[in-house]
């Protein structure tokens, strides 16, 4: 495999990168191309209406769960459609159990609301991370300890916990059911229902065949913008070449390990670690070292990142899966032979969902852009606050307009496909930010449905008020009002 692989090294822990990784691009394929050609016509048919509601949320990942919960809490009748058998998306089915930074660079929590309640409801033995007293610490010993456990960056300890994925599945499910959300598992939303430029619901496929759900507002939390793209809304696809944030992978976990022993060896034997890495690359081609999980006897591998492949192409997605499952066994055997702490390692679980970072981004009426990272000012329509990418930047104000399509009505978008530039996407796609934007979209959708207006017409002050009631962190109203006055004066 090695002679087929072009390896692009991405600098680990540089100023604006957190998890060091190699990104690989390969021209070698495991399957021949399909025999494409021609078209056929599908017969028109009558389909049953499965359900009618105020808000339908498409996709039960972090953003979808937050949106459904928030909309239901705000008084809407909510249905969530999920293609898999569990909730949590990449955080559970994708085994991306490491949750990125939820604090600012001083250690203050800024990702709250649904996110905070979600983590507080987790069992204590299902959460690993630094105590609150250490958030924002620059103590070298603490930074070294937590830095090797993916929760200290740029010399500062952060709240970036690792959570038990199975407990997360149940936690999401119970939070939504208690809020009154109707959950539809094993259902793939095929396309939105659009009438005169307004989304009116979705058509989905299941073992029962093809059905429809009618709704006042559709919330697209598919991660890839499937609903807004198929409804004809504008979107962006540009990426930063060579950036880890557009690559794909399938994660896995290995059991029977001693992660403390592995980390101790890695810290004290840097020359041997480099030799180990080179040997792994030579033997396996694609290669990476493990991250901690919520348990010291389970190692997390987020899978070697593979670029040059599209998550909108079924053949490319298949290729990543074929490689990744081979690599899981290859890594297990290699680490058993060569890695301290891995002498009794075994393959425990591979992710049921492909690790996708980027496909489409909504072209919204508002946008998060790199040029504004340093402003430190609130957006006039702020509905959330995100940690910034490095200490040289203040927190980032998230505008409601980044969730609203430019022309399409009846729909909001949340999660990794919100309206932002390619640079901002690198952190706005992370799980905490998906919780944040999902929370905001859920409240916006509920307000629109409750008031009988389009999502673009809602009073953002009402959305902010409800978000605060639900525990979200926002800039003070005076700062937002000042931003609004400044915008109106331009």
């Amino acid at each position: 495999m090695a002679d087929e692989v072009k390896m692009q090294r991405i600098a680990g822990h540089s100023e604006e990168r957190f998890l060091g990784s190699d990104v690989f691009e390969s021209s070698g394929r495991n399957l021949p191309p399909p025999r494409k050609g021609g078209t056929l016509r599908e017969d028109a048919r009558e389909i049953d209406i499965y359900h009618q509601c105020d808000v339908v949320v498409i996709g039960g990942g972090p953003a979808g769960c937050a949106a459904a919960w928030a909309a239901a809490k705000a008084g809407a009748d909510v249905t969530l459609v999920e293609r898999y058998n569990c909730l949590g998306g990449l955080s559970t089915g994708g085994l991306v159990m490491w949750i990125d930074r939820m604090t600012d660079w001083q250690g203050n929590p800024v990702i709250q609301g649904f996110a905070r309640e979600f983590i507080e409801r987790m069992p204590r033995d299902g959460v690993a991370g630094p105590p609150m007293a250490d958030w924002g610490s620059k103590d070298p010993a603490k930074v070294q300890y937590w830095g090797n456990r993916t929760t200290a960056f740029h010399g500062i300890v952060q709240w970036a916990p690792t959570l038990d994925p199975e407990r997360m599945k149940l936690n999401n499910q119970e939070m939504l059911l208690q809020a009154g959300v109707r959950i539809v598992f094993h259902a793939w939303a095929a396309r939105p229902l659009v009438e005169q430029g307004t989304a009116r619901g979705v058509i989905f496929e299941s073992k029962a065949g093809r059905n429809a759900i009618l709704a006042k507002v559709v919330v697209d939390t598919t991660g890839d913008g499937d609903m807004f793209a198929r409804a004809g809304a504008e979107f962006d696809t540009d990426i930063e070449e060579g950036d880890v944030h557009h690559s794909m992978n399938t994660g896995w976990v290995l059991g029977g390990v001693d992660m403390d022993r592995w980390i101790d060896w890695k810290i004290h034997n840097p020359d041997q670690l480099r030799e180990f890495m080179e040997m792994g690359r030579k033997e396996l081609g694609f290669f990476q070292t493990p991250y901690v999980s919520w348990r010291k006897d389970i190692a997390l591998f987020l899978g070697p990142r593979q670029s040059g492949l599209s998550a909108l192409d079924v053949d490319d997605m298949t290729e990543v899966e074929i490689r990744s499952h081979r690599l899981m066994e290859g890594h297990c055997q290699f680490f058993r032979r060569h890695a301290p702490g891995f002498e009794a390692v075994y393959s425990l679980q591979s992710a049921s969902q492909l690790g996708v970072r980027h496909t489409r981004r909504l072209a919204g009426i508002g946008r998060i852009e790199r040029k504004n990272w340093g402003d430190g000012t609130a957006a006039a329509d702020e509905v959330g606050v995100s940690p910034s990418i490095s200490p040289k930047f203040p927190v980032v104000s998230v505008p409601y307009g980044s969730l609203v399509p430019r022309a399409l009505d009846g729909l909001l978008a949340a999660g990794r496909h919100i309206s932002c530039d390619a640079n901002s996407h690198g952190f706005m796609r992370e799980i905490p930010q998906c919780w944040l934007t999902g929370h905001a979209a859920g409240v916006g959708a509920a307000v629109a449905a409750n008031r009988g207006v389009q999502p673009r017409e809602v009073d953002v002050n009402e959305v902010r008020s409800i978000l605060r009631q639900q525990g979200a962190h926002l800039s003070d109203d005076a700062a937002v009002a000042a931003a609004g006055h400044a915008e109106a004066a331009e």
Side-chain angles (χ1 to χ4, degrees), residues 160-208:
T162 303
L163 309 180
D164 179 344
E166 289 302 321
R167 255 72 166 269
M168 281 197 282
K169 292 176 184 178
L170 180 61
N171 197 22
N172 278 308
Q173 173 183 294
E174 296 308 299
M175 285 182 69
L176 267 58
L177 291 175
Q178 289 170 19
V181 176
R182 173 187 289 271
I183 300 171
V184 185
F185 285 133
H186 301 290
W188 187 303
R191 67 176 182 87
L193 293 167
V194 181
E195 297 176 1
Q196 298 178 332
T198 302
R200 305 290 188 186
V202 297
I203 292 175
F204 71 94
E205 292 274 2
S206 73
K207 288 290 187 179

Side-chain angles (χ1 to χ4, degrees), residues 14-18 101 104-106 153-154 156 370 373 387-396 427:
S14 67
E15 185 178 12
E16 297 175 359
R17 297 288 178 266
F18 302 121
R101 300 154 302 112
D104 65 18
W105 294 103
Q106 290 71 50
F153 316 99
H154 300 290
I156 304 171
R370 180 174 182 142
W373 290 359
S388 64
I389 199 166
S390 78
K392 72 179 184 181
F393 298 110
V395 293
V396 177
F427 63 93

Side-chain angles (χ1 to χ4, degrees), residues 328-378:
M328 177 181 178
E329 182 62 17
H331 278 67
C332 184
Q333 297 294 337
F334 182 86
F335 273 77
R336 182 183 297 143
R337 294 195 306 271
H338 302 292
F342 282 76
E343 292 83 359
V345 68
Y346 60 90
S347 293
L348 182 60
Q349 182 185 7
S350 61
S352 59
Q353 294 183 226
L354 182 64
V356 178
R357 291 166 177 79
H358 180 269
T359 49
R360 310 179 183 100
R361 303 189 313 280
L362 177 73
I365 61 174
R367 199 167 189 246
I368 301 170
E369 297 184 329
R370 180 174 182 142
K371 67 180 182 181
N372 299 324
W373 290 359
D375 289 353
T377 57

Side-chain angles (χ1 to χ4, degrees), residues 11-35:
H13 300 284
S14 67
E15 185 178 12
E16 297 175 359
R17 297 288 178 266
F18 302 121
L19 293 182
S21 172
D22 288 345
V23 179
F24 300 87
E25 184 171 354
S26 173
S27 59
R29 304 295 289 240
N30 286 284
L31 294 175
R35 299 186 182 94

Side-chain angles (χ1 to χ4, degrees), residues 310-446:
S310 171
L312 300 179
D313 185 310
V314 68
D315 293 329
D316 284 359
M317 297 167 75
T318 302
E319 181 65 30
V320 174
E321 298 287 14
I322 290 172
R323 294 177 186 174
S324 296
H325 288 284
R326 288 175 178 169
L327 287 163
M328 177 181 178
E329 182 62 17
H331 278 67
C332 184
Q333 297 294 337
F334 182 86
F335 273 77
R336 182 183 297 143
R337 294 195 306 271
H338 302 292
F342 282 76
E343 292 83 359
V345 68
Y346 60 90
S347 293
L348 182 60
Q349 182 185 7
S350 61
S352 59
Q353 294 183 226
L354 182 64
V356 178
R357 291 166 177 79
H358 180 269
T359 49
R360 310 179 183 100
R361 303 189 313 280
L362 177 73
I365 61 174
R367 199 167 189 246
I368 301 170
E369 297 184 329
R370 180 174 182 142
K371 67 180 182 181
N372 299 324
W373 290 359
D375 289 353
T377 57
D381 58 342
E382 179 190 277
V383 287
V385 176
S386 167
S388 64
I389 199 166
S390 78
K392 72 179 184 181
F393 298 110
V395 293
V396 177
S397 180
V398 178
Y400 180 70
S402 67
L403 316 178
V404 183
R406 290 176 183 165
L408 179 67
D409 279 321
L411 184 143
L412 289 169
R416 69 171 183 252
H417 56 224
I418 66 164
S419 181
C420 61
D421 63 18
N423 291 113
S424 302
H425 178 265
F427 63 93
M428 287 308 301
R429 69 173 178 82
E430 298 288 356
I431 290 167
Q433 284 77 5
C434 289
W435 279 334
L436 182 162
T437 57
H439 191 172
V443 172

